[in-house]
Amino acid sequence: MNWPINVTIKEVGPRDGLQNEQSFLSTEDKINWINQLSRTGLQSIEITSFVNPKWIPALADSLEVAKGIERMPGVTYTALVPNRRGLEKALEGNVDEMAVFMSASETHNQKNINKSIADTFPILEEVVKETLSAGKSVRGYVSTVFGCPYEGQVSIDNVIRVSEHLFEMGIQELSLGDTIGVANPKQVQEMLNVLLKRFPIEKLALHFHDTHGTAAANILAALDMGITTYDASTGGLGGCPYAPGASGNVATEDVLYMLGNMGINTGVNLEKLLGAGRFIQEKIGRSLPSRNLQACLTNERGE
Ligand code: HMG
Ligand code: MG
């Protein structure tokens, strides 16, 4: 086995996790949760998105959240930004890193951001350029890399084309999104075999949703190929409202449990992360998908 010794977990729960929630979590609770996450040893937290609140009402308080959180030294606070308007707000909120996003499939791109792939490039190019000239860092997401809810299979050529454009714009890291959680380990390795011939390994991250229970296996497949950055969401919250059938991200607690027991270092304290998971589950008011969170809560109750 060829597993890395150190892995970086990027927590996306406050953005990807909450964007799909029907009820509005109060700004105070969001800030409290992010502050707890900041104390777990996580190096990166995606705190919100600066998109149109008509489209994503759950994150309509993005500026208040960005302004309200405590900034822990060593933690990068990221926000999802679709265009110049979002960037201006994110800069006002003093976000450290912008995450631009688009899809490898035309239909999902259109449904998600109301633009064709071709029309999205110049908009993101402007965001990336201005982010870099503001002295901030920028990561890019490509969605529907392993399958599209509208088009089914997505060709590797489409993934390469969109990824190349994003790197040409100047993004510093690319997160490959399994938006609807359909990937399997064989597909992950086949995709990475192609992408690693074109892009530097340290600039690639993986973003698995866990709709079919394959996310941990997919991470293992990617670890085996040397990928060291993974997005995950506390409790396994998450989903894209414009991707029908998509369920939550792989749960941060579950990834930490697996990696920790494999002797792979993440720098994140699982106990503290479980505390943040317990908090958000209580606030959301239903049992969250994380297996490790539920196992710990059951254990605590002595069942
Ligand atoms: P649009 O309607 O095409 O935008 O939206 P527009 O430029 O034509 O403007 C229309 C209206 O939107 C105007 O307002 C603008 O002011 C407003 P009106 O005059 O009608 O009142 N507007 C904005 N308002 C606030 N903030 C902004 C902004 N921009 C325009 N930044 C837009 C284009 C992208 C904004 C819209 O389609 C949108 O907000 N989409 C949300 C998409 C989204 O958040 N999806 C979920 C995140 S992506 C994801 O989950 C996948 C990922 O996790 C990876 C994976 O899993 O694969 C990242
Ligand atoms: Mg996602």
Side-chain angles (χ1 to χ4, degrees), residues 15-16 19 50 52 83 85 112 114-115 143 179 207:
R15 192 278 303 171
D16 204 335
Q19 73 183 11
F50 290 89
N52 187 343
N83 53 19
R85 168 132 180 227
N112 197 34
N114 211 17
K115 304 266 176 314
S143 289
T179 317
H207 177 103

Side-chain angles (χ1 to χ4, degrees), residues 27 30-31 47-51 53 59-69 71 79 85-95:
T27 307
K30 285 175 183 146
I31 291 172
I47 56 170
T48 191
S49 66
F50 290 89
V51 298
L59 301 181
D61 56 355
S62 46
L63 190 55
E64 292 94 312
V65 169
K67 285 186 170 174
I69 57 169
R71 303 300 174 107
R85 168 132 180 227
L87 175 64
E88 281 165 6
K89 288 270 178 217
L91 290 173
E92 194 186 333
N94 199 22
V95 167

Side-chain angles (χ1 to χ4, degrees), residues 101-168:
F101 61 107
M102 61 185 299
S103 310
S105 58
E106 196 63 55
T107 319
H108 184 260
N109 200 74
Q110 189 74 49
K111 300 256 186 201
N112 197 34
I113 48 181
N114 211 17
K115 304 266 176 314
S116 68
I117 287 179
D119 288 347
T120 305
F121 286 135
I123 295 169
L124 298 193
E125 197 171 341
E126 187 185 25
V127 173
V128 173
K129 204 169 137 211
E130 294 197 8
T131 299
L132 294 173
S133 59
K136 308 272 183 178
S137 56
V138 60
R139 89 191 294 236
Y141 282 106
V142 183
S143 289
T144 65
V145 166
F146 300 96
C148 170
Y150 306 102
E151 296 177 19
Q153 277 194 342
V154 175
S155 84
I156 294 190
D157 288 347
N158 281 12
V159 176
I160 292 172
R161 189 169 66 93
V162 170
S163 305
E164 269 174 351
H165 265 276
L166 287 167
F167 274 123
E168 278 161 21

